[in-house]
């Protein structure tokens, strides 16, 4: 199936008879990117699935009112990011996640509990290293390192200046590298 | 277009030994996970919309479990489907060949005939009293067993309070008839004039 432009999807979504078909296209087009963005933040598949479902429901409710002054892709990432942060905050309140010394969430235990976890593999070590970052910095790192998002767009997703994001990414890279080399 | 070289260059600029190629995900997902996502999401949206609607309409009902209390024989849905035999043409039956329909039509015609007969043959205007007299006469003609059956029938179904207990205000104000115009109601009453516009008045 050829990819549809955001404009085509939005136009079709406005037509009552094509609403569900347009939404299906939208989900298919962005589901993997959003899933992995969420998964890297919440770690477990079931958690990621729950968060992603909530994201799509928000999108369904808000798409009609979406104004094309930002890209659809940016808007989707913003919803996904907010849902991730809300979910992690809920987990923190329930006491169902481990917290670091500064009260931030650390999901290292969940990573180690993954059936395919291999402490010798660099990819897994990198996931553990990311848990050492504060949440916002972890977001900046994943959006840049994994999703290759330009700072300009990231600035819209996280509502932070490009300069602050660059500095944040710089710090994140250094911390991650330090973890990989010294632990 | 991949931005990967940009990320690689940026890491070099940061004097990082972090390798951009590590960006591969170590996590796994269930096979076929993304294939059914759109359908699942739409089903979930419909479920939530239905629930929200019910919450608004009846909080009591929305709090009840939707689990069906019935049971089916063990393995009922696992039974293999038997190959059907050669298809037989489905008989097409006119609704007028159905016995109950014929009886209903006959009863309606008979009732109308008696009513018209009464109305046309009586020299005096048809009043509730004349109708009652006619009914009493019919009842007198019944034997004891038939009278007993009639009494049982009436006693079983009627308490005498039914009409008084009916509150029709909602039906007219905001119920089923709210969208029916005055003219449509009048036409309906004219069509049923045999019953409603007779001179049965006290």
């Amino acid at each position: 199936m050829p990819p549809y432009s955001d404009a085509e999807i939005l136009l079709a979504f406005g037509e009552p008879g094509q609403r569900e078909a347009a939404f299906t296209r939208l989900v298919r087009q962005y589901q993997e990117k959003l899933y992995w963005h969420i998964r890297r933040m919440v770690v477990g598949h079931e958690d990621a699935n729950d968060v992603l479902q909530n994201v799509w429901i928000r999108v369904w409710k808000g798409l009609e009112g979406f104004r094309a002054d930002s890209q659809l892709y940016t808007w989707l990432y913003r919803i996904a990011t907010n849902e991730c942060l809300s979910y992690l905050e809920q987990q923190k309140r329930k006491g169902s996640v481990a917290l670091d010394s500064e009260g931030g969430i650390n999901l290292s235990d969940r990573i180690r509990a993954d059936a395919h976890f291999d402490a010798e593999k660099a990819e897994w070590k990198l996931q553990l290293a990311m848990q050492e970052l504060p949440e916002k910095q972890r977001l900046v790192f994943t959006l840049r390192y994994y999703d290759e998002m330009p700072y300009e767009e990231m600035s819209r997703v996280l509502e932070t200046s490009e300069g602050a994001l660059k500095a944040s990414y710089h710090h994140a890279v250094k911390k991650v590298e330090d973890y990989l080399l010294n632990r | 277009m991949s931005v990967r070289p940009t990320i690689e260059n940026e890491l070099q600029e940061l004097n990082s030994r972090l390798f951009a190629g590590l960006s591969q995900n170590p996590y796994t997902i269930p096979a076929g996970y993304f294939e059914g996502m759109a359908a699942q999401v739409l089903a979930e949206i419909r479920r939530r919309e239905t629930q929200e609607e019910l919450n608004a309409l009846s909080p009591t009902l929305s709090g009840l479990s939707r689990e069906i209390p019935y049971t089916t024989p063990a393995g009922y849905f696992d039974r293999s489907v038997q190959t059907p035999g050669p298809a037989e043409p489905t008989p097409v039956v006119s609704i007028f060949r159905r016995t109950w329909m014929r009886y209903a039509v006959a009863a309606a015609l008979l009732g109308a005939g008696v009513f018209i007969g009464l109305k046309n043959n009586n020299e005096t205007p048809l009043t509730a009293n004349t109708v009652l007299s006619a009914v009493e006469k019919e009842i007198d003609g019944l034997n004891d067993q038939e009278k007993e059956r009639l009494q049982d029938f009436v006693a079983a179904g009627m308490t005498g309070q039914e009409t008084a207990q009916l509150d029709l205000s909602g039906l007219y104000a905001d119920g089923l008839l709210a969208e029916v115009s005055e003219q449509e109601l009048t036409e309906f009453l004219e069509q049923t004039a045999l019953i409603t516009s007779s001179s049965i008045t006290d």
Side-chain angles (χ1 to χ4, degrees), chain B residues 45-55 66:
Chain B
I45 287 167
R46 281 188 214 112
R47 192 192 67 75
R48 289 195 189 192
E49 283 179 349
T50 313
Q51 189 61 40
E52 280 167 18
E53 183 188 50
L54 194 58
N55 287 348
R66 289 194 202 176

Side-chain angles (χ1 to χ4, degrees), chain A residues 41-58:
Chain A
M41 288 300 291
V42 301
V43 175
H45 167 72
E46 291 305 326
D47 299 319
N49 185 45
D50 287 349
V51 174
L52 187 53
Q53 289 259 341
N54 289 340
V55 168
W56 288 129
I57 286 160
R58 279 193 181 279

Side-chain angles (χ1 to χ4, degrees), chain A residues 22-83:
Chain A
F23 187 73
T24 301
R25 278 180 220 143
L26 177 76
V27 171
R28 288 192 182 144
Q29 211 142 299
Y30 290 103
Q31 59 187 4
E32 291 200 38
K33 274 178 178 284
L34 292 182
Y35 171 83
W36 287 116
H37 172 55
I38 294 166
R39 179 81 189 263
R40 282 190 284 268
M41 288 300 291
V42 301
V43 175
H45 167 72
E46 291 305 326
D47 299 319
N49 185 45
D50 287 349
V51 174
L52 187 53
Q53 289 259 341
N54 289 340
V55 168
W56 288 129
I57 286 160
R58 279 193 181 279
V59 170
W60 171 266
K61 286 180 176 170
L63 196 58
E64 207 161 29
F66 172 77
R67 275 177 282 164
D69 50 3
S70 70
Q71 280 190 54
L72 193 54
Y73 160 80
T74 311
W75 183 67
L76 294 173
Y77 261 81
R78 198 147 106 189
I79 293 175
T81 303
N82 288 337
E83 282 295 319

Side-chain angles (χ1 to χ4, degrees), chain B residues 6-64:
Chain B
T6 314
I7 303 296
E8 192 86 55
N9 292 339
E10 192 177 44
L11 289 171
Q12 279 174 6
E13 281 170 24
L14 292 170
N15 290 321
S16 170
R17 276 174 282 180
L18 187 60
F19 178 45
L22 277 179
S23 61
Q24 209 174 359
N25 272 307
Y27 300 119
T28 52
I29 50 169
Y33 171 65
F34 291 115
E35 284 161 27
M37 181 175 285
Q40 268 179 20
V41 169
L42 282 170
E44 178 63 14
I45 287 167
R46 281 188 214 112
R47 192 192 67 75
R48 289 195 189 192
E49 283 179 349
T50 313
Q51 189 61 40
E52 280 167 18
E53 183 188 50
L54 194 58
N55 287 348
L57 288 173
S58 166
T60 313
L61 196 56
S62 73
L64 289 178

Side-chain angles (χ1 to χ4, degrees), chain B residues 121-194:
Chain B
N121 293 332
N122 274 331
E123 288 175 4
T124 53
L126 190 59
T127 64
N129 287 335
T130 50
V131 173
L132 272 174
S133 306
V135 171
E136 277 169 7
K137 200 176 161 188
E138 286 297 318
I139 291 171
D140 287 342
L142 298 174
N143 62 34
D144 287 348
Q145 199 180 3
E146 286 168 333
K147 277 182 187 170
E148 205 173 320
R149 275 196 214 143
L150 180 65
Q151 212 168 4
D152 289 346
F153 174 75
V154 173
M158 304 290 282
T159 63
Q161 299 298 313
E162 284 80 0
T163 308
Q165 286 172 349
L166 275 176
D167 178 12
L168 301 175
S169 57
L171 188 66
Y172 293 97
D174 53 5
L176 292 173
L177 295 181
E179 291 175 8
V180 180
S181 70
E182 191 82 17
Q183 191 189 344
E184 284 170 307
L185 276 174
T186 311
E187 282 171 8
F188 171 76
L189 292 173
E190 282 169 0
Q191 283 167 16
T192 55
L194 276 176

Side-chain angles (χ1 to χ4, degrees), chain A residues 46-183:
Chain A
E46 291 305 326
D47 299 319
N49 185 45
D50 287 349
V51 174
L52 187 53
Q53 289 259 341
N54 289 340
V55 168
W56 288 129
I57 286 160
R58 279 193 181 279
V59 170
W60 171 266
K61 286 180 176 170
L63 196 58
E64 207 161 29
F66 172 77
R67 275 177 282 164
D69 50 3
S70 70
Q71 280 190 54
L72 193 54
Y73 160 80
T74 311
W75 183 67
L76 294 173
Y77 261 81
R78 198 147 106 189
I79 293 175
T81 303
N82 288 337
E83 282 295 319
C84 278
L85 293 175
S86 304
Y87 177 82
L88 291 172
E89 194 54 41
Q90 272 175 16
Q91 299 277 300
K92 207 196 283 191
R93 278 202 300 269
K94 280 188 201 165
S96 52
V97 286
L99 302 178
D100 59 26
S101 55
E102 289 165 15
I105 289 175
N106 190 313
L107 301 174
S108 302
D109 290 348
R110 289 191 183 182
I111 294 172
R112 289 194 183 92
D114 190 290
H116 300 93
F117 178 73
D118 183 348
E120 298 303 313
K121 282 200 170 172
E123 287 87 357
W124 281 108
K125 275 184 90 172
L126 178 54
Q127 298 308 311
L128 290 174
M130 282 161 54
Q131 292 305 315
E132 302 298 310
L133 304 174
E135 273 164 41
K136 290 276 167 62
Q137 210 169 56
R138 201 184 308 158
L139 263 172
V140 173
F141 183 82
T142 60
L143 286 174
R144 185 68 180 161
Y145 185 75
Y146 287 104
D147 296 314
E148 303 164 352
M149 188 178 278
Y151 287 111
E152 192 188 349
E153 267 182 48
M154 208 192 297
S155 155
R156 282 190 223 115
V157 171
L158 300 177
E159 293 175 326
T160 308
S161 72
E162 286 185 43
L165 291 171
K166 282 180 188 171
S168 182
Y169 182 64
H170 176 93
H171 286 298
V173 167
K174 290 297 172 194
K175 280 188 205 168
V176 166
E177 193 180 57
D178 182 56
Y179 183 96
L180 291 174
L181 295 172
N182 300 312
R183 292 210 206 174

